[in-house]
């Protein structure tokens, strides 16, 4: 009987797989252009990059894919006017290669300038006795707690050379809104799993070891001030989750958050890039085995979804 | 005649559903599923019903979903019944929800949950609720406290940030002048204290794609999130079917790395054997006729 039920289960999965294949062929409507006047835009966008199911690809290739995705996203954010961006990867490829991230973003893709310098704001260097799970702990106060958040300030792009040659006043008056957004500065928070639950544990450890604090009850505002403060990670209102691994484009994969800092996702709207197609199978000869960076269609689709979201805030 | 046909149709459908549940229960089943029960009010407005009626239908849907989960073998179900933020709603609606919670959960406990070995935990700031509701909840919890087969976490009124803060407070009090780890905070989460296994799947009905301050610590890692457009009172087994299938596919694909070709060989063998058995049965039946 068990054998029969198990066989039936596999047959059921086979038919379900066929159904999902048929569903994948259903064409989705094209998203609106970037410049489309959407009802609402996120003020703070988070980009969660995963390489789930991609153990065979080297770290360098994955990092390059992540960097390309971020560079494109910064360009799109500039174009639509999003000035705050968080980029996350679970393993911390981006956090541990922050110089590469800042180098990659120091020259805007649309307005290459040889003499542009990006302002990079590195987190405060923690004292040697900083709290961590793997080393002996010593007393540290909350203000110098290592929150594992790197903050990059990408400056506003200067006006192009063509604009500065004659007719400047006239050109500036007729500047379109999308061109104006191209010059906004963008703040980028670079985080990983270690910026989430481990930081909450470290904050709790500091409180546990603070004699003066022990009598006072921990309040939501206390944790909020630490985790979402100036050196921390503010809550994104929209998150795009994208898996770069080629295998993720072959079959349906549910959304996961890969250890994103849990405190900050209270009201975050999620958009999951989950297009998949059997034509992505290697034997179909129609795709490469390399990771693929985020594309503009996915980004625009996410913005369309966010613009339709209804926020009720509990009411 | 029409009634008879409708009844026959319902019987066939429910038998088929029972059969599919039996088959699914053979494979890997999530141990802990959480639900954000969203869409009661829009459901009511769509049908020109009173909002209270929408919430009543919502509770019936909860009973149906819990029944399906128990039949599948899911050990723990957590539901987001009322957020601390929901006190901002109109007095009339809040009063209606309190009245529903006071009667419906206890009736459900007496009729079904206790009989099926479900332990009921009410998670959240119970002290914010009217005394009559608190009393009713205490009775449900007391009646089922020794049950061990399944767990139902009824979150009311609850927010995840409040849960995390409470867990941090407890960890701080326990570990005075000592190291506090992630595990310490995890141990003091309300779901863990209620004997819940780690969360596997979180489902939100109603179409919104956000967590709204629900189980954020638990859901941020190794949890599949599903946002379905169905309004909560309309939810049924077939909304859960693709979610369970995706979960089983994920578990099997993780096992593939260890014994991939062996598993596919056994699947192939079983499918061939099944086809042979069905063909033989069909031939024998035709021969006897």
């Amino acid at each position: 009987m068990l054998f029969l039920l198990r066989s039936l289960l596999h047959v059921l999965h086979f038919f379900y797989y066929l159904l999902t294949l048929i569903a994948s062929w259903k064409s989705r409507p094209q998203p609106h252009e970037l410049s489309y006047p959407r009802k609402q835009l996120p003020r703070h966008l988070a980009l969660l990059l995963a390489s789930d199911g991609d153990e065979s690809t080297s770290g360098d290739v994955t990092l390059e894919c992540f960097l390309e995705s971020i560079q494109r996203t910064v360009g799109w954010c500039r174009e639509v006017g999003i000035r705050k961006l968080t980029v996350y990867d679970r393993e911390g490829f981006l956090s541990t290669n922050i110089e590469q991230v800042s180098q990659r973003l120091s020259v805007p893709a649309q307005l290459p300038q040889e003499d542009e310098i990006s302002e990079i704001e590195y987190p405060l260097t923690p004292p040697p006795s900083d709290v961590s799970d793997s080393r002996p702990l010593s007393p540290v106060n909350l203000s110098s707690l290592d929150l594992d958040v790197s903050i990059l300030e990408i400056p506003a792009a200067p006006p192009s050379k063509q604009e500065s040659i004659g007719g400047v006043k006239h050109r500036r008056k007729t500047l379109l809104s999308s061109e104006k957004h191209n010059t906004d500065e963008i703040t980028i928070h670079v985080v990983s799993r270690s910026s989430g639950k481990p930081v909450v544990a470290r904050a709790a450890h500091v409180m546990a070891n603070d004699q003066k604090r022990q009598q006072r009850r921990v309040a939501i505002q206390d944790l909020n001030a630490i985790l979402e403060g100036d050196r921390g990670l503010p809550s994104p209102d929209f998150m795009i989750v994208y898996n770069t691994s080629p295998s993720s484009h072959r079959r349906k994969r549910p959304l996961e958050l890969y250890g994103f800092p849990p405190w900050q996702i209270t009201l975050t709207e999620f958009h999951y890039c989950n297009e998949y197609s059997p034509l992505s199978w290697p034997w179909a000869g129609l795709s490469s085995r390399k990771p693929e960076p985020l594309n503009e269609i996915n980004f625009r689709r996410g913005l369309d979804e966010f613009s339709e979201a209804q926020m009720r805030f509990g009411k | 005649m029409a009634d008879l046909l409708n009844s026959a149709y319902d019987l066939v459908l429910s038998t088929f559903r029972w059969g599919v549940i039996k088959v699914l229960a053979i494979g890997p089943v999530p141990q802990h599923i959480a639900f954000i029960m969203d869409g009661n009010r829009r459901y009511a407005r769509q049908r020109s019903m009173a909002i209270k009626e929408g919430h009543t239908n919502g509770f019936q849907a909860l009973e149906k979903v819990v029944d399906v989960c128990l039949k599948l073998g899911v050990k723990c179900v957590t539901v987001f019944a009322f957020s601390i933020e929901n006190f901002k709603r109109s007095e009339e609606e809040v009063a209606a929800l309190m009245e529903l919670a006071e009667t419906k959960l206890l009736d459900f406990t007496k009729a079904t949950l206790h009989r099926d070995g479900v332990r009921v935990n009410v998670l959240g700031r119970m002290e914010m609720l009217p005394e009559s509701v608190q009393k009713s909840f205490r009775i449900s919890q007391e009646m089922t406290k020794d049950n061990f087969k399944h767990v139902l976490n009824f979150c009311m009124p609850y927010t995840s940030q409040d849960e995390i803060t409470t867990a941090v407070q407890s960890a701080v009090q326990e570990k005075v002048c000592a190291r506090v780890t992630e595990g310490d905070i995890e141990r003091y989460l309300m779901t863990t204290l209620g004997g819940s296994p780690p969360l596997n799947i979180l489902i939100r009905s109603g179409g919104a794609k956000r967590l709204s301050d629900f189980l954020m610590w638990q859901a941020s890692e190794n949890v599949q999130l599903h946002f379905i457009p169905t309004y909560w009172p309309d939810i049924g087994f077939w909304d859960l079917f693709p979610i369970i299938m995706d979960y089983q596919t994920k578990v099997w694909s993780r096992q593939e790395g260890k014994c991939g070709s062996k598993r596919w060989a056994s699947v192939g063998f079983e499918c061939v054997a099944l086809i042979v058995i069905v063909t033989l049965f069909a031939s024998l039946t035709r021969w006897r006729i």
Side-chain angles (χ1 to χ4, degrees), chain A:
Chain A
M1 185 66 181
L2 192 64
F3 171 80
L4 184 66
L5 287 174
R6 212 167 51 224
S7 310
L8 282 171
L9 180 64
H10 291 135
V11 169
L12 195 62
H13 269 273
F14 174 69
F15 282 114
Y16 179 68
Y17 176 65
L18 287 181
L19 277 173
T20 57
L21 282 187
I22 294 166
S24 74
W25 280 322
K26 187 179 156 190
S27 61
R28 296 171 72 172
Q30 276 289 96
H32 293 118
E33 293 299 319
L34 277 178
S35 54
Y36 180 80
R38 292 175 173 86
K39 277 187 258 179
Q40 55 185 357
L41 281 171
R43 281 170 299 185
H44 178 187
L45 168 70
L47 177 63
L48 189 160
L49 294 168
S51 56
D52 196 26
D54 200 12
E55 290 76 17
S56 58
T57 305
S58 75
D60 288 340
V61 174
T62 303
L63 176 63
E64 174 54 34
C65 187
F66 284 179
L67 292 173
E68 179 63 27
S69 299
I70 295 168
Q71 185 176 21
R72 292 179 184 186
T73 305
V74 168
W76 300 323
C77 286
R78 269 223 164 92
E79 205 170 320
V80 300
I82 297 171
R83 296 179 58 182
K84 217 183 263 184
L85 174 66
T86 289
V87 292
Y88 172 91
D89 78 288
R90 185 192 157 85
E91 285 76 21
F93 283 126
L94 298 169
S95 303
T96 50
N97 293 283
I98 197 71
E99 288 86 6
Q100 284 196 53
V101 178
S102 61
Q103 272 169 23
R104 195 64 173 256
L105 300 176
S106 62
V107 178
Q110 294 91 351
L111 299 169
Q113 297 285 343
E114 289 176 3
D115 56 351
E116 186 176 35
I117 301 166
S118 67
E119 294 172 14
I120 302 164
E121 187 182 311
Y122 290 103
L124 295 173
T125 305
S129 57
D130 184 37
V131 174
S132 84
D133 289 338
S134 60
R135 286 180 279 153
L137 301 163
S138 53
V140 171
N141 61 37
L142 287 167
S143 60
S144 62
L145 188 66
D146 180 15
L147 302 178
D148 245 311
V149 178
S150 302
I151 303 174
L152 305 179
E153 298 280 354
I154 309 299
S160 65
K161 284 182 182 170
Q162 286 81 7
E163 285 183 13
S164 64
I165 299 171
V168 167
K169 284 186 186 171
H170 177 69
R171 285 293 298 269
R172 280 180 185 162
K173 275 184 188 170
T174 58
L175 205 59
L176 296 173
S177 60
S178 61
E179 289 175 1
K180 183 174 182 301
H181 289 313
N182 268 326
T183 64
D184 287 343
E185 63 178 25
I186 294 183
T187 304
I188 302 178
H189 294 82
V190 182
V191 291
S192 65
R193 188 196 181 274
S194 58
S195 322
K197 289 179 182 177
V199 168
V200 180
R202 269 184 246 146
H205 171 82
V206 168
M207 291 177 197
N209 286 271
D210 183 348
Q211 303 285 346
K212 290 179 202 167
R213 229 220 155 273
Q214 274 157 23
Q215 304 308 316
R216 205 160 66 82
R217 200 168 172 77
V218 180
I220 291 177
Q221 295 83 342
D222 296 332
L223 284 177
N224 222 42
I226 300 164
L227 300 173
E228 296 197 37
D230 291 338
R231 294 186 307 114
L233 175 69
S235 287
D237 36 3
F238 184 50
M239 183 188 297
I240 294 177
V241 180
Y242 180 69
N243 197 324
T244 60
S245 87
S247 62
S248 72
H249 303 291
R250 287 183 209 137
R251 61 167 182 255
K252 193 179 164 201
R253 275 178 179 256
L255 166 65
E256 293 189 32
L257 295 181
Y258 302 100
F260 192 91
W263 183 266
Q264 285 87 344
I265 52 174
T266 314
L267 293 174
T268 306
E269 295 280 333
F270 299 108
H271 172 71
Y272 181 39
C273 305
N274 61 341
E275 284 86 16
Y276 61 95
S277 164
L279 296 176
S280 297
W281 276 95
W283 48 256
L286 294 172
S287 78
S288 70
R289 288 176 175 268
K290 283 175 20 183
E292 294 167 22
L294 183 70
N295 63 45
E296 190 178 314
I297 298 281
N298 282 326
F299 186 80
R300 281 155 46 193
R301 199 161 268 142
L303 291 187
D304 286 351
E305 210 169 86
F306 182 82
S307 79
E308 298 302 319
Q310 294 174 349
M311 322 280 184
R312 290 183 289 272
F313 304 106
K315 292 184 190 163

